Amino acid sequence: MDCIFCKIAAGHIPSVKIYEDENVLAFLDIGPLSEGHTLIIPKKHYAKVDECPAEMMSQVGAVLPKVAKAVFGGMESEGYNVLCNNGRASGQLVEHIHFHIIPRNAGDGVFTQWPAKQYPAGKIEEIAKKIRAKL
Ligand code: AMP
Ligand code: ZN
């Protein structure tokens, strides 16, 4: 499969590794939004979160706090974002699940928009019903 993160996980393409175990790898993003921007991936290929078996996601989730703490602590940042794009429309370019850990400091200008909206009356329950129906 022609997947750059599979190649990184297999060691066929170099990466600057932060953490590795049997199932999970964390490495530095080569196009960082801030210094220390890290990616954490399951070594096995899944394109999106909804396609990943719970057991594999648990492995990633189990490592996430440790890696986030190291990124946050190592970079001495004031905060960090954990972000996962799923699908082209969301901004996903590499179709292998990855969680971005992005060190943040006040006024760094990394994300300048959070275009929050409001639900009209009654809409929120309607939306919840549609989503619950797919659980
Ligand atoms: P996304 O838009 O969520 O799919 O993000 C993909 C991320 O992968 C981007 O932030 C890229 O900078 C990063 N990236 C792509 N190729 C590599 C690579 N070879 N090593 C490290 N990071 C990479
Ligand atoms: Zn892959």
Side-chain angles (χ1 to χ4, degrees):
M1 188 188 299
D2 194 28
C3 169
I4 190 156
F5 287 179
C6 281
K7 288 177 185 162
I8 286 176
H12 297 153
I13 287 183
S15 66
V16 179
K17 291 178 188 174
I18 298 293
Y19 172 89
E20 182 171 22
D21 65 31
E22 195 187 336
N23 299 304
V24 181
L25 176 66
F27 55 99
L28 290 182
D29 192 305
I30 44 159
L33 293 188
S34 63
E35 286 184 0
H37 181 165
T38 298
L39 301 174
I40 179 163
I41 65 168
K43 286 186 173 176
K44 206 166 167 203
H45 184 92
Y46 303 99
K48 297 192 289 172
V49 164
D50 61 284
E51 296 169 6
C52 185
E55 305 73 46
M56 183 53 66
M57 194 54 77
S58 301
Q59 303 277 355
V60 177
V63 169
L64 188 51
K66 183 214 250 324
V67 175
K69 193 172 180 183
V71 171
F72 172 66
M75 300 316 296
E76 298 183 2
S77 63
E78 294 168 20
Y80 58 94
N81 293 104
V82 176
L83 177 73
C84 179
N85 298 322
N86 290 266
R88 281 289 155 96
S90 76
Q92 185 180 21
L93 296 176
V94 177
E95 292 180 333
H96 180 132
I97 295 171
H98 51 281
F99 290 88
H100 298 259
I101 304 171
I102 306 163
R104 296 297 309 278
N105 288 296
D108 62 15
V110 170
F111 298 113
T112 54
Q113 284 197 316
W114 188 268
K117 318 242 177 338
Q118 280 190 326
Y119 287 116
K123 186 84 177 178
I124 196 164
E125 268 311 321
E126 198 185 303
I127 297 281
K129 211 169 153 187
K130 280 188 192 173
I131 296 172
R132 285 188 209 113
K134 298 290 182 186
L135 285 173

